[in-house]
Amino acid sequence: MVDLPYDDSSYSTLRVDSDNNNSASNDEQRVYFVPFRWWKDAQDPTSSESGSNRGILYTATPGTSFAGPMKLINNIFNSDLAFNLRKEDDDSLHNGEKGEVGVSGRDYALVPGEMWLQALKWHSDAKIATKVGKSFSAAEDDMADVYPLMLRLSIPRETNSLGVKISKKDNAVELFRRACKIFSIGSEQLHIWDFSGQTALYFMNDGNGFLKDSQRQSDQEILLELQVYGLSDSMKCREGRKDEMLGQPPANCSPGAPVLLNGSYGNSNSNSVGTATILCGRSGEAGSLGLTGLQNLGNTCFMNSAIQCLVHTPKVVDYFLGDYTREINPDNPLGMNGEIASAFGDLLRKLWAPGATPVPPRTFKSKLARFAPQFSGFNQHDSQELLAFLLDGLHEDLNRVKSKPYAEVKDSEGRPDEEVADEYWQNHLARNDSIIVDVCQGQFKSTLVCPECRKVSVTFDPFMYLSLPLPSTTSRTMTVTVISTDGTLPPFPLTITVPKSGKFEDLIQALSVACSLGANETLLVAEIYNHRIIRYLEELADSLSLIRDDDTLVAYRLNKDIERAPLVVFTHQQLEEHYMLGKLTSSWKTFGIPLVARLSDVVTGSDIHGLYLKLLNSFQTQAEEVLDVRDNSESTAVEISPKDHDASSPVPNGIERTPDANGDSAPSVAELQFYLTDEKGIKESQILMCEVIPVAGVSQRLHVLASWPEKYVKKYDTQLFSTLPQIFKSCFFAKKPQESVSLYKCLQAFLMEEPLGPEDMWYCPRCKEHRQASKKLDLWRFPEILVIHLKRFSYNRFLKNKLETFVDFPIDDLDLSDYIGSRNSELSNRYMLYAVSNHYGSMGGGHYTAFAHHGGGQWYEFDDSRVYPIGPDKIKTSAAYLLFYRRVVE
C-alpha cells in the first residue's frame, strides 16, 4: 500500500458522531471492534444469524511496502501503522483451508452498535447468574473500556483487499500505542470478521470482489471510526490516578469524593474516550450499561424517577434493545400511533448506550404532553400517575392484537373459580397481547355481596400494579368530649380509633368501650358549633366521612331505663361589658357547652332551675361550694318530676343559698333567668318558677337558655365549661412520631372486605337496584413484574396530605404464597426488589429519585442527572413510593 500525504480533502468520512445526545439510530450505527470469541459466546447457536455465515472474513497481511512482518514506520516526521485486509472467499473457509477460525486470541469482529449492546448485556446477565469472574480480557473492570480508534482505508487497484493505515495524526498517543499491540502481525495470523456491513459497502455484489468505479481511486482514503472494546490495559482511575491516555486529569479523584457515574469527566472530541467517561473507584465505571442519568427539564423529576425504574425492568430492557419496532401497532384506536412506544424505546436505548452522558428526555416529554396534556408544562406531578399512563400507553402501542374480538362477560353462577378465572383471562388475552401484558399484568378476584338479597357476584379482572393503603389510611382517630348528665363528673375528652370508611355505629361502639359505658347507659352524640347543638348523630348507618376533622363532638351519657323520656337542652349566655364609641356598653353572648338531661312528661319552672344547678356541680371551682342536689335513685341520669313546694318561694324546695368566702351566694333562681327558645336559640318566653311546662311527645326536646350575670361567671370553671377539642387537630410544626408498618400489613389492609362508597353503588341484578354492596378483593394471578404503589397521598376538598409512614418492605424475599388465590399455579410466588421510586418532602414541593439494582448486588441512586452507588442498607426509607419486584425463579 502506498503511503499518502495527510490531506483533509483526500478522504471521505464513514463514521458516526459520538455525541451521546444524538438519536438512538446514530448510536446503533457505531461500529465496535471486539474479540471474536466474546461476541460468538453471546450468540444463539440455534439462530440462523449466529456463527460465521453472515460475516465477511479478512486476514491481515503486511502492507505492500514491507517485505517482512509488519513493523511500525517511525521517524521524526511520520508515525503510521499500515497493513492490508485480504478478503477470504467462502469456499476456502468452508473447506477448512483456514483451520478453526475464531478460537485464537488473534480473532476479532466488527459488529454494529445494536449487536454489541445485546452481546454486552448477555455477558452481564451471565455473570450475575453464574457469579463467575472474567472469561476474557474485558471483564467487569473493563465494562466502560470503550475508546475510539480512527482508521484510514484505501483501495489498492485490482486486489481483493483493503489497505489500512492508523496514524498518530488521527489518534492520541496512547490509543496509537494500543493499536500497535492489537494489529501487530507476527507468527500468529490475525483474522477480522465484519458483521457490521461497513466493508461490504466497498465491494460489488457480483462476487468479483472489486470496488465500484466511483470508489476505485488510489488517491482517495476513507476515514472509519471504530469503537474498541475489551482490548485495552485499563482506563480507570487506580490508586487515585486516571489513565493518562487523554492527558486530562479528572476534576476530582480524591478519596471520599462523590463518584458520578456519568457526565462528570471526559472529552467529546474524536481523540478522547468519546462514549466512555472516566471514573474513580471500583464500582463507579462510568458508561456502564444503564447507569445514565436523565436531565431535569424543569420539575420533571417525577418522570425521571418512574422512567429509571422502568428502564431497569429486566424483560422490558431486553425487549426494547431488540427489534421492538416490528410490534408497534400504529392503527390501534386506543393507542398513540406508536409514538409513545417509539419515544420510550429511543430513550431506553440512549440510557443503555455505553458511556452515555445524562440524557435530556425532551422528545419523550413532548410526546407525553401531546397525548397526556395533564403532564404538559413544568408543574410537579405524581410518578405513579405517570407510570400508570406510560404502562397503558406502551401496551396499546405494542398490542399485537390488530382486531379485538367481542367477548361476552359471564357471571360465575356457581362454577369453580379456576374455570371462571381462566375464562376471564383468555378473554382478556384475546384483546390484549403485548410485552406489558406478558410481564406486568396479573389478575384479581373481586367478590361483591348485596346487603339486601345476599346475591354474590364474582369477577376476575386484570391489574397492572397494586395500590396498597397504609394502615393509618384505613383507620381514623377521633376525639370526642364525654359529658355526664347527672353533674357528678366533669367533661373529659376521649380519643378513639374507627374505620375510615366506617359508620356512626362504629363511632358509638368505640366510645362505649372507651368510656366503660354501663349496661343501663346509652350515648347521645351531637355536633357542637358556636356553643349550640347543630345536629345529632342518630342515623347509625350514616358514613363517618360526614364528620370533618375540624368538627367538635360531644357524647352525653344518658340512662337507658328512662330512654323514652324527653330531653332538656340547656344553652348559656352571659352579660359582657365592652366599650363602643368610647362608651361602656353591655350585651348578651352565648358561651359554654350545651348541657343535656331527661325530664318527666310534666315539669315546672322550679324543676328546670334545680336540674340546671345540679348539672353545674361538675364545673364548680375549688373556692365554691355550690348547691348539691342529689337524687337518691339508682339511676345515673337525672329524672326531675313535679314536687310539692311553695310556689311563692323564689327558691325550689330543697335548694338553699350557700354563702361563699366573701359572703356572696351562689347563683340563685332570682339571679339566673331561664327562657324557652327554639332550636336556633331564639327566645320565645321566660320560664316562671310556678309555671307548669308540659312536654308533649317522646321525641320532643325542650330548649332552655340560661342567662348569667357576669359577676357569677367566675364562680365556675368556665375554661372547662367552654373548651371543646376538635375531632382531629393537625399540628403543622410539631414533629410527628415515626410510624412503622410492614408491607404485609399494607397488603392485608388492601384485601380486607369493605363496603362500597355511596358514589360507587353496585347494580344488583337480582334486586334490580343500585346497592351499597360489600367488596372483597383477592389476588388470583401474579405477574412476573409486580409493581406496588404505596398510597401516601390523600386528597379531599379542603386538604392535601402526605403520610410519612415507614413501610418495612422485603428486599430479597417477598413471599406472597399466603396471598395467592389460585393454588394450581406452578409459578413461584417469591419476589426480589430491583427498583424503588422515592418521594421526599411535602405535597407539591417535594422531589423524586429512584433506586435501581444493577447486577452484582450493587444498588444505585438516580437523582436526575446524578447517579451514585449506594449500599443495600439505604434502600428502605419513609420516602419509598413505588416498589418494583421481579419474580424469583425457583
Side-chain angles (χ1 to χ4, degrees):
M1 186 178 75
V2 179
D3 262 343
L4 299 175
Y6 181 81
D7 184 1
D8 286 343
S9 62
S10 65
Y11 66 87
S12 60
T13 302
L14 289 180
R15 67 181 180 89
V16 178
D17 193 343
S18 60
D19 185 357
N20 292 294
N21 291 334
N22 287 349
S23 65
S25 60
N26 286 344
D27 295 339
E28 296 166 9
Q29 294 173 11
R30 293 191 181 103
V31 179
Y32 288 82
F33 186 81
V34 299
F36 178 85
R37 187 173 64 178
W38 174 85
W39 173 85
K40 186 176 181 181
D41 288 344
Q43 306 310 303
D44 183 358
T46 63
S47 172
S48 60
E49 297 184 3
S50 65
S52 58
N53 58 338
R54 296 295 301 274
I56 301 175
L57 176 63
Y58 293 93
T59 300
T61 61
T64 55
S65 60
F66 302 102
M70 185 186 313
K71 63 182 179 180
L72 178 66
I73 305 175
N74 191 359
N75 56 54
I76 191 171
F77 300 108
N78 190 26
S79 297
D80 290 333
L81 176 66
F83 59 95
N84 290 337
L85 290 177
R86 186 181 68 247
K87 180 182 177 183
E88 303 293 346
D89 64 62
D90 294 338
D91 293 337
S92 62
L93 175 62
H94 288 226
N95 292 333
E97 295 178 10
K98 297 298 175 184
E100 189 175 5
V101 178
V103 175
S104 73
R106 302 279 292 164
D107 297 310
Y108 306 99
L110 297 176
V111 296
E114 180 179 355
M115 188 180 294
W116 174 81
L117 202 57
Q118 291 174 349
L120 191 58
K121 190 172 188 305
W122 182 92
H123 280 282
S124 177
D125 292 344
K127 290 176 184 176
I128 296 173
T130 59
K131 305 293 184 183
V132 298
K134 299 182 179 181
S135 59
F136 68 103
S137 61
E140 278 189 12
D141 287 339
D142 293 318
M143 288 290 291
D145 199 356
V146 181
Y147 62 90
L149 186 65
M150 310 302 294
L151 279 65
R152 290 174 179 265
L153 304 181
S154 61
I155 317 301
R157 291 183 179 275
E158 298 182 355
T159 63
N160 199 18
S161 64
L162 294 173
V164 181
K165 181 173 67 175
I166 303 174
S167 173
K168 280 187 178 180
K169 297 177 181 178
D170 302 324
N171 300 279
V173 175
E174 176 64 18
L175 297 182
F176 181 76
R177 181 187 65 79
R178 295 182 181 187
C180 293
K181 291 183 178 180
I182 295 171
F183 296 106
S184 62
I185 299 180
S187 58
E188 190 175 8
Q189 282 192 324
L190 183 149
H191 300 288
I192 299 177
W193 285 93
D194 180 18
F195 297 96
S196 68
Q198 289 292 323
T199 60
L201 297 176
Y202 310 147
F203 293 95
M204 297 176 60
N205 295 325
D206 59 4
N208 295 330
F210 292 101
L211 296 171
K212 298 179 181 180
D213 291 339
S214 60
Q215 293 180 328
R216 293 179 61 191
Q217 302 177 18
S218 60
D219 59 346
Q220 182 181 14
E221 289 183 341
I222 298 173
L223 188 64
L224 175 65
E225 178 178 334
L226 301 181
Q227 303 295 327
V228 182
Y229 172 73
L231 298 171
S232 67
D233 301 327
S234 175
M235 294 186 64
K236 301 174 184 61
C237 294
R238 294 187 182 277
E239 300 178 359
R241 179 183 62 87
K242 172 188 166 182
D243 190 286
E244 298 176 355
M245 179 187 66
L246 300 179
Q248 282 187 322
N252 188 342
C253 196
S254 59
V259 181
L260 302 186
L261 296 189
N262 54 67
S264 300
Y265 318 119
N267 196 327
S268 60
N269 62 49
S270 61
N271 290 336
S272 70
V273 174
T275 58
T277 308
I278 307 303
L279 282 187
C280 305
R282 182 182 179 280
S283 63
E285 293 91 358
S288 294
L289 297 183
L291 298 182
T292 305
L294 284 165
Q295 292 182 15
N296 192 319
L297 305 179
N299 278 333
T300 57
C301 58
F302 76 97
M303 181 181 73
N304 294 348
S305 174
I307 289 175
Q308 290 290 8
C309 293
L310 199 53
V311 300
H312 285 85
T313 300
K315 288 202 172 181
V316 172
V317 176
D318 295 339
Y319 178 82
F320 280 97
L321 289 181
D323 187 14
Y324 72 93
T325 55
R326 59 187 175 87
E327 290 194 344
I328 289 181
N329 186 352
D331 301 322
N332 185 356
L334 299 179
M336 289 85 175
N337 305 322
E339 294 184 36
I340 286 293
S342 297
F344 177 78
D346 289 346
L347 183 59
L348 182 145
R349 292 189 176 201
K350 288 180 181 180
L351 294 174
W352 279 85
T357 57
V359 177
R362 292 190 181 90
T363 301
F364 179 83
K365 176 71 166 57
S366 64
K367 298 293 184 184
L368 184 68
R370 175 184 173 190
F371 293 103
Q374 65 268 30
F375 297 116
S376 61
F378 300 97
N379 293 326
Q380 183 69 280
H381 294 280
D382 191 325
S383 67
Q384 185 272 332
E385 293 178 359
L386 182 278
L387 179 70
F389 170 81
L390 183 54
L391 289 176
D392 186 65
L394 291 176
H395 159 64
E396 295 297 352
D397 273 1
L398 299 168
N399 197 345
R400 304 176 186 112
V401 179
K402 308 302 180 183
S403 177
K404 296 186 177 183
Y406 172 76
E408 183 178 357
V409 178
K410 300 178 182 179
D411 203 349
S412 58
E413 297 296 342
R415 292 183 293 163
D417 285 345
E418 289 76 9
E419 177 185 339
V420 180
D422 290 342
E423 180 181 284
Y424 271 83
W425 189 248
Q426 293 306 317
N427 288 342
H428 175 67
L429 294 182
R431 298 171 55 85
N432 302 275
D433 183 16
S434 69
I435 179 63
I436 303 301
V437 175
D438 297 341
V439 174
C440 298
Q441 286 197 350
Q443 192 178 31
F444 282 136
K445 175 188 175 183
S446 177
T447 305
L448 292 171
V449 180
C450 177
E452 299 295 331
C453 68
R454 311 308 297 175
K455 162 71 176 176
V456 178
S457 174
V458 178
T459 58
F460 293 85
D461 305 308
F463 69 86
M464 204 122 57
Y465 49 85
L466 299 180
S467 289
L468 303 188
L470 305 186
S472 56
T473 66
T474 63
S475 60
R476 174 183 185 186
T477 59
M478 304 180 73
T479 301
V480 181
T481 302
V482 179
I483 300 179
S484 67
T485 56
D486 61 357
T488 58
L489 294 174
F492 60 93
L494 274 181
T495 299
I496 44 92
T497 301
V498 293
K500 191 171 186 178
S501 58
K503 304 176 181 179
F504 286 177
E505 181 181 14
D506 300 314
L507 171 63
I508 294 176
Q509 287 179 353
L511 283 172
S512 301
V513 173
C515 69
S516 302
L517 198 68
N520 63 336
E521 288 183 296
T522 186
L523 291 176
L524 175 65
V525 182
E527 181 181 347
I528 309 298
Y529 178 73
N530 199 21
H531 309 289
R532 301 185 187 279
I533 295 177
I534 61 172
R535 65 165 172 161
Y536 298 91
L537 278 61
E538 296 178 300
E539 292 295 333
L540 300 183
D542 283 354
S543 173
L544 288 177
S545 62
L546 299 175
I547 303 175
R548 298 174 301 181
D549 285 345
D550 56 354
D551 291 341
T552 53
L553 295 185
V554 169
Y556 298 98
R557 299 180 70 152
L558 297 170
N559 194 302
K560 223 181 230 184
D561 296 337
I562 53 175
E563 188 173 359
R564 299 181 64 83
L567 290 175
V568 58
V569 179
F570 291 102
T571 54
H572 331 280
Q573 66 178 5
Q574 61 181 341
L575 192 63
E576 286 190 349
E577 295 181 345
H578 56 275
Y579 286 91
M580 179 178 292
L581 300 177
K583 295 182 179 181
L584 181 63
T585 61
S586 60
S587 60
W588 292 99
K589 182 179 180 181
T590 306
F591 74 101
I593 306 169
L595 301 178
V596 173
R598 291 200 183 275
L599 293 171
S600 297
D601 290 342
V602 180
V603 295
T604 65
S606 61
D607 296 328
I608 296 293
H609 296 154
L611 177 58
Y612 182 70
L613 293 177
K614 182 174 183 178
L615 293 177
L616 291 180
N617 279 342
S618 59
F619 298 98
Q620 63 181 322
T621 60
Q622 293 182 357
E624 297 295 329
E625 294 293 336
V626 298
L627 301 177
D628 187 8
V629 181
R630 301 195 178 276
D631 191 346
N632 294 326
S633 67
E634 296 179 359
S635 172
T636 57
V638 176
E639 180 180 8
I640 301 295
S641 60
K643 299 181 184 295
D644 295 334
H645 61 274
D646 184 1
S648 63
S649 172
V651 182
N653 288 343
I655 301 179
E656 299 178 355
R657 298 171 185 252
T658 305
D660 59 16
N662 298 322
D664 296 330
S665 61
S668 69
V669 291
E671 297 160 331
L672 287 170
Q673 302 297 321
F674 295 88
Y675 300 88
L676 288 176
T677 70
D678 60 11
E679 292 182 356
K680 297 181 180 179
I682 299 176
K683 294 180 182 177
E684 295 179 345
S685 63
Q686 186 175 359
I687 299 176
L688 303 177
M689 289 298 301
C690 59
E691 180 182 0
V692 176
I693 306 171
V695 183
V698 296
S699 62
Q700 184 174 351
R701 295 184 176 97
L702 190 66
H703 297 273
V704 177
L705 174 64
S707 297
W708 286 51
E710 184 179 4
K711 65 177 182 177
Y712 291 111
V713 174
K714 61 183 179 181
K715 299 179 182 295
Y716 291 88
D717 188 352
T718 54
Q719 179 71 20
L720 177 64
F721 193 41
S722 301
T723 304
L724 284 178
Q726 294 180 352
I727 288 295
F728 179 79
K729 183 71 173 178
S730 60
C731 184
F732 295 99
F733 301 102
K735 187 174 182 180
K736 298 180 181 179
Q738 178 71 63
E739 294 182 81
S740 178
V741 65
S742 75
L743 184 64
Y744 294 108
K745 289 291 184 182
C746 298
L747 191 58
Q748 291 167 10
F750 173 74
L751 298 176
M752 284 182 60
E753 182 177 355
E754 61 181 4
L756 296 177
E759 66 281 358
D760 296 322
M761 303 277 276
W762 171 63
Y763 182 79
C764 176
R766 182 179 295 170
C767 298
K768 307 298 182 183
E769 291 184 18
H770 286 88
R771 301 293 189 189
Q772 195 170 356
S774 63
K775 182 177 182 179
K776 175 73 170 68
L777 285 178
D778 293 291
L779 298 170
W780 189 263
R781 189 190 310 265
F782 286 126
E784 183 168 341
I785 298 299
L786 179 63
V787 180
I788 295 178
H789 165 222
L790 301 177
K791 298 173 69 172
R792 294 194 177 276
F793 303 129
S794 61
Y795 308 86
N796 57 43
R797 292 168 52 194
F798 308 101
L799 185 66
K800 296 180 180 179
N801 185 41
K802 180 192 174 184
L803 295 172
E804 298 289 350
T805 305
F806 175 81
V807 178
D808 186 9
F809 50 87
I811 295 180
D812 297 320
D813 187 12
L814 174 64
D815 190 355
L816 299 177
S817 301
D818 294 336
Y819 302 92
I820 183 72
S822 174
R823 300 298 176 181
N824 296 333
S825 175
E826 297 180 356
L827 297 175
S828 169
N829 297 319
R830 294 175 55 246
Y831 286 82
M832 177 180 293
L833 187 75
Y834 70 89
V836 181
S837 175
N838 302 298
H839 180 270
Y840 299 92
S842 59
M843 294 280 297
H847 179 63
Y848 286 91
T849 68
F851 297 150
H853 187 268
H854 198 267
Q858 181 62 58
W859 283 86
Y860 293 89
E861 179 177 4
F862 294 80
D863 185 0
D864 289 331
S865 298
R866 295 168 295 178
V867 184
Y868 298 89
I870 59 173
D873 58 319
K874 303 296 184 181
I875 302 303
K876 295 184 182 182
T877 71
S878 59
Y881 184 46
L882 297 175
L883 307 177
F884 291 75
Y885 285 91
R886 62 178 178 86
R887 174 179 278 126
V888 176
V889 179
E890 295 180 342

PDB file of all heavy atoms in Angstrom, residues 165 332 345 554 681-682 780 810 868:
ATOM      1  N   LYS A 165      -4.514   2.094   7.363  1.00  0.00           N
ATOM      2  CA  LYS A 165      -3.439   2.879   7.948  1.00  0.00           C
ATOM      3  C   LYS A 165      -3.968   3.522   9.227  1.00  0.00           C
ATOM      4  O   LYS A 165      -5.051   4.111   9.250  1.00  0.00           O
ATOM      5  CB  LYS A 165      -2.949   3.957   6.995  1.00  0.00           C
ATOM      6  CG  LYS A 165      -1.787   4.779   7.577  1.00  0.00           C
ATOM      7  CD  LYS A 165      -1.196   5.733   6.562  1.00  0.00           C
ATOM      8  CE  LYS A 165      -2.195   6.812   6.190  1.00  0.00           C
ATOM      9  NZ  LYS A 165      -1.564   7.818   5.285  1.00  0.00           N
ATOM     10  N   ASN A 332     -53.944   1.119  16.202  1.00  0.00           N
ATOM     11  CA  ASN A 332     -54.790   0.859  17.357  1.00  0.00           C
ATOM     12  C   ASN A 332     -55.487   2.160  17.785  1.00  0.00           C
ATOM     13  O   ASN A 332     -54.822   3.124  18.158  1.00  0.00           O
ATOM     14  CB  ASN A 332     -53.941   0.314  18.507  1.00  0.00           C
ATOM     15  CG  ASN A 332     -54.778  -0.104  19.703  1.00  0.00           C
ATOM     16  OD1 ASN A 332     -55.987   0.055  19.737  1.00  0.00           O
ATOM     17  ND2 ASN A 332     -54.111  -0.656  20.708  1.00  0.00           N
ATOM     18  N   GLY A 345     -38.725   3.749  23.550  1.00  0.00           N
ATOM     19  CA  GLY A 345     -37.672   2.852  23.077  1.00  0.00           C
ATOM     20  C   GLY A 345     -36.391   3.592  22.753  1.00  0.00           C
ATOM     21  O   GLY A 345     -35.292   3.146  23.111  1.00  0.00           O
ATOM     22  N   VAL A 554     -69.735  16.005  71.046  1.00  0.00           N
ATOM     23  CA  VAL A 554     -69.962  15.741  72.458  1.00  0.00           C
ATOM     24  C   VAL A 554     -70.834  14.489  72.566  1.00  0.00           C
ATOM     25  O   VAL A 554     -71.801  14.333  71.809  1.00  0.00           O
ATOM     26  CB  VAL A 554     -70.650  16.930  73.152  1.00  0.00           C
ATOM     27  CG1 VAL A 554     -71.126  16.540  74.542  1.00  0.00           C
ATOM     28  CG2 VAL A 554     -69.702  18.120  73.227  1.00  0.00           C
ATOM     29  N   GLY A 681     -82.034  28.887  69.167  1.00  0.00           N
ATOM     30  CA  GLY A 681     -81.686  29.722  70.310  1.00  0.00           C
ATOM     31  C   GLY A 681     -82.430  31.023  70.378  1.00  0.00           C
ATOM     32  O   GLY A 681     -82.082  31.881  71.202  1.00  0.00           O
ATOM     33  N   ILE A 682     -83.439  31.198  69.571  1.00  0.00           N
ATOM     34  CA  ILE A 682     -84.213  32.441  69.604  1.00  0.00           C
ATOM     35  C   ILE A 682     -85.226  32.360  70.755  1.00  0.00           C
ATOM     36  O   ILE A 682     -85.988  31.391  70.869  1.00  0.00           O
ATOM     37  CB  ILE A 682     -84.945  32.660  68.265  1.00  0.00           C
ATOM     38  CG1 ILE A 682     -83.910  32.778  67.131  1.00  0.00           C
ATOM     39  CG2 ILE A 682     -85.823  33.910  68.324  1.00  0.00           C
ATOM     40  CD1 ILE A 682     -84.517  32.890  65.755  1.00  0.00           C
ATOM     41  N   TRP A 780     -55.361 -13.399  42.507  1.00  0.00           N
ATOM     42  CA  TRP A 780     -55.526 -14.710  41.888  1.00  0.00           C
ATOM     43  C   TRP A 780     -54.316 -15.115  41.052  1.00  0.00           C
ATOM     44  O   TRP A 780     -53.884 -16.244  41.083  1.00  0.00           O
ATOM     45  CB  TRP A 780     -56.775 -14.718  41.005  1.00  0.00           C
ATOM     46  CG  TRP A 780     -57.132 -16.083  40.514  1.00  0.00           C
ATOM     47  CD1 TRP A 780     -56.817 -16.639  39.306  1.00  0.00           C
ATOM     48  CD2 TRP A 780     -57.845 -17.077  41.242  1.00  0.00           C
ATOM     49  NE1 TRP A 780     -57.299 -17.912  39.229  1.00  0.00           N
ATOM     50  CE2 TRP A 780     -57.945 -18.217  40.410  1.00  0.00           C
ATOM     51  CE3 TRP A 780     -58.408 -17.128  42.509  1.00  0.00           C
ATOM     52  CZ2 TRP A 780     -58.579 -19.378  40.813  1.00  0.00           C
ATOM     53  CZ3 TRP A 780     -59.054 -18.284  42.906  1.00  0.00           C
ATOM     54  CH2 TRP A 780     -59.128 -19.386  42.055  1.00  0.00           C
ATOM     55  N   PRO A 810     -39.697  -6.141  52.170  1.00  0.00           N
ATOM     56  CA  PRO A 810     -38.587  -7.069  51.921  1.00  0.00           C
ATOM     57  C   PRO A 810     -37.814  -6.659  50.674  1.00  0.00           C
ATOM     58  O   PRO A 810     -38.389  -6.154  49.707  1.00  0.00           O
ATOM     59  CB  PRO A 810     -39.285  -8.412  51.723  1.00  0.00           C
ATOM     60  CG  PRO A 810     -40.659  -8.245  52.280  1.00  0.00           C
ATOM     61  CD  PRO A 810     -41.007  -6.804  52.094  1.00  0.00           C
ATOM     62  N   TYR A 868     -25.335   7.596  41.744  1.00  0.00           N
ATOM     63  CA  TYR A 868     -24.399   7.244  42.798  1.00  0.00           C
ATOM     64  C   TYR A 868     -24.588   5.788  43.203  1.00  0.00           C
ATOM     65  O   TYR A 868     -25.721   5.304  43.254  1.00  0.00           O
ATOM     66  CB  TYR A 868     -24.642   8.094  44.050  1.00  0.00           C
ATOM     67  CG  TYR A 868     -24.450   9.569  43.879  1.00  0.00           C
ATOM     68  CD1 TYR A 868     -25.496  10.388  43.481  1.00  0.00           C
ATOM     69  CD2 TYR A 868     -23.216  10.152  44.137  1.00  0.00           C
ATOM     70  CE1 TYR A 868     -25.326  11.748  43.333  1.00  0.00           C
ATOM     71  CE2 TYR A 868     -23.042  11.521  44.008  1.00  0.00           C
ATOM     72  CZ  TYR A 868     -24.091  12.313  43.601  1.00  0.00           C
ATOM     73  OH  TYR A 868     -23.913  13.669  43.467  1.00  0.00           O
TER      74      TYR A 868
END
